[in-house]
Amino acid sequence: MNPALTARKVEFRYGDRDILRGVDIDLFPGEVTVLLGPNGSGKSTLIKILSGVLSPRAGDVLLCGRPPRSFPRREMARLLSAVGQDPPVDFPMTVEAYVALGRFPHQGFFGGTTSEDREQVARALDLTELAALRGRALSEISAGERQRATVARAIAQGATVMLLDEPTAFLDIRHRVAFYEVVTRLAETCGVAALVASHDLSLCAEYGERIVLLSDGAVAAQGRPERVLTPENVRAAYGVEVACDRNPATGAIRVTPLRARPPGVET
Ligand SMILES: Nc1ncnc2c1ncn2[C@@H]1O[C@H](COP(=O)(O)OP(=O)(O)O)[C@@H](O)[C@H]1O
Ligand SMILES: [Mg+2]
């Protein structure tokens, strides 16, 4: 199967600092890829490059075979949706109106709303459990609710590639699980190719078919969760000791941080 989005040997600098070094990534239709990596490892920068917000210094990004920046804005928005790391706070609009912004690439230049638009907005609100909050102002809901609104907006957009930058950062465990359920369902039923930047090591192992571990701007490991989530890889990338075993209930890899022991204390 051809990847929906592919990056080859991507390099990026801020000033004279190397931020991304030779990054390769492929996103396939129907697959959820989880992008792991410590703070500052380059996840957000990579997502901005994949979505065409930033241009790589070297290397290639191809969305459906073309550079992202070569698409007209609406066409691009029908193919790719991106959710940034910081949910908007000061948009003076309701949750529903904000989610409906996701429909702009499907509307005519005069912005007429169709029943399809209304259905897709209602579906996105349902999937993110926001229907009851649809009339509330974006500035008058919690950070987690606002984060779900950004995901709802991306779902309403109906793009085939979804790039989500730490979409679960503010979510409680119930809504974290719900997020991964929804993104997996979109992949399985609509063929969406999703990239989710995350710090949910164990949770993403339950859902992510493929994990890309970024460390200091380079791909340290990528592949199935059992291949990527090893104590050696986690220690090298995050500098913490963890135990990696299998969740007895599901068989998925489970990552548990180990408490640091003061020097000289015997176990
Ligand atoms: N606008 C910017 N200007 C300069 N440096 C930046 C900018 N944005 C991010 N950086 C730096 O680039 C590196 C990667 O950042 P980022 O991609 O945000 O990492 P992550 O999302 O993995 O936490 C960090 O060292 C960060 O400090
Ligand atoms: Mg980031």
Side-chain angles (χ1 to χ4, degrees):
M1 195 194 302
N2 288 332
L5 183 69
T6 180
R8 286 287 170 273
K9 297 191 168 68
V10 164
E11 310 270 336
F12 187 80
R13 280 186 180 170
Y14 277 120
D16 58 2
R17 284 183 55 220
D18 284 327
I19 304 296
L20 295 175
R21 299 177 287 120
V23 173
D24 289 344
I25 196 166
D26 291 303
L27 304 183
F28 291 96
E31 204 174 79
V32 178
T33 302
V34 178
L35 180 62
L36 296 180
N39 295 148
S41 56
K43 301 181 297 299
S44 296
T45 307
L46 179 59
I47 284 180
K48 286 177 191 158
I49 287 172
L50 298 179
S51 61
V53 172
L54 294 173
S55 289
R57 194 172 86 87
D60 296 303
V61 177
L62 295 174
L63 171 66
C64 301
R66 283 170 53 185
R69 287 162 83 97
S70 72
F71 289 96
R73 190 159 162 258
R74 275 164 188 270
E75 196 182 338
M76 172 78 178
R78 283 196 290 266
L79 290 173
L80 183 145
S81 59
V83 173
Q85 197 167 354
D86 304 308
V89 182
D90 50 2
F91 273 38
M93 57 176 66
T94 63
V95 170
E96 185 169 29
Y98 175 74
V99 173
L101 291 177
R103 297 300 301 166
F104 94 88
H106 304 279
Q107 291 162 350
F109 280 99
F110 300 106
T113 307
T114 63
S115 60
E116 169 76 4
D117 292 329
R118 284 187 290 275
E119 266 169 40
Q120 291 303 323
V121 169
R123 171 174 169 263
L125 289 167
D126 280 342
L127 287 172
T128 52
E129 297 184 52
L130 285 173
L133 297 180
R134 55 164 33 106
R136 294 267 289 279
L138 213 53
S139 55
E140 291 167 7
I141 57 176
S142 78
E145 290 162 348
R146 209 173 296 125
Q147 189 152 46
R148 277 150 51 208
T150 65
V151 172
R153 179 183 154 164
I155 292 172
Q157 200 173 318
T160 43
V161 176
M162 294 180 80
L163 308 177
L164 301 134
D165 196 351
E166 296 197 32
T168 61
F170 298 115
L171 302 190
D172 65 40
I173 186 159
R174 171 201 164 98
H175 289 106
R176 266 176 205 227
V177 171
F179 166 79
Y180 284 102
E181 289 286 345
V182 166
V183 76
T184 303
R185 187 144 37 113
L186 291 174
E188 286 172 358
T189 61
C190 308
V192 164
L195 181 68
V196 180
S198 171
H199 295 299
D200 301 319
L201 270 64
S202 292
L203 196 50
C204 80
E206 296 278 349
Y207 291 95
E209 284 133 86
R210 235 150 39 85
I211 294 179
V212 175
L213 175 62
L214 212 55
S215 179
D216 197 18
V219 175
Q222 70 171 308
R224 304 271 318 151
E226 56 271 23
R227 200 180 132 165
V228 175
L229 294 173
T230 64
E232 298 73 28
N233 286 343
V234 174
R235 184 189 308 119
Y238 293 90
V240 291
E241 295 297 328
V242 297
C244 298
D245 62 358
R246 297 269 179 181
N247 182 328
T250 63
I253 295 288
R254 179 172 60 180
V255 181
T256 312
L258 300 176
R259 187 175 169 177
R261 296 188 187 282
V265 175
E266 297 294 321
T267 54

